[in-house]
Amino acid sequence: MRVWGLENPHAVLEQARDSPKVNMWCGLLCDRIIGPFFFSEVTVRSANYLHMIEVLAFPQIEDVQSNIIFQQDGAPTHWNLEVQKILEEKLPGVGLEEEVQYRGHLDLQT
């Protein structure tokens, strides 16, 4: 028996490394979009990510309903201790789960 594919399994596709990229963050709520916020740096590091969520994102969601989901994709920037600390302060009683997801009341008074 022979199986014929539509593509050459030995074909090589070359891609340039470190090609120009755009790093962006936004929040999606049922009635609005928070952001988008664009990072000017080539790589998003913990310090600039922390600055973005503290200074740009949290002030825009002060009046949001108390039952939100703040989900991240598990990038090393999201696992930084300072990032975890501020998320624990702003979303009290909620910790990191397997999929790096925070649930709970957003306490922006801290």
Side-chain angles (χ1 to χ4, degrees):
M1 179 173 156
R2 290 187 175 173
V3 178
W4 298 94
L6 298 176
E7 297 178 12
N8 181 352
H10 303 291
V12 176
L13 176 64
E14 294 186 22
Q15 294 183 347
R17 291 193 61 193
D18 302 319
S19 60
K21 299 174 185 69
V22 174
N23 291 305
M24 186 269 297
W25 181 97
C26 73
L28 303 175
L29 286 75
C30 65
D31 62 345
R32 67 187 112 167
I33 297 174
I34 306 300
F37 304 117
F38 293 90
F39 294 90
S40 61
E41 301 82 7
V42 174
T43 302
V44 179
R45 304 233 187 269
S46 299
N48 50 1
Y49 179 71
L50 183 61
H51 177 267
M52 185 278 304
I53 61 173
E54 281 187 300
V55 175
L56 303 173
F58 284 153
Q60 290 195 37
I61 52 178
E62 288 179 347
D63 64 333
V64 74
Q65 67 274 11
S66 61
N67 189 17
I68 67 165
I69 296 174
F70 188 92
Q71 187 169 0
Q72 305 177 99
D73 68 3
T77 299
H78 304 154
W79 288 94
N80 176 274
L81 293 178
E82 289 300 315
V83 171
Q84 290 182 42
K85 179 181 172 188
I86 196 68
L87 290 174
E88 282 294 329
E89 287 175 11
K90 301 296 183 186
L91 301 168
V94 180
L96 281 174
E97 297 175 8
E98 187 69 25
E99 64 276 359
V100 193
Q101 179 171 300
Y102 284 84
R103 296 176 186 263
H105 175 71
L106 189 59
D107 182 10
L108 293 163
Q109 302 306 316
T110 11

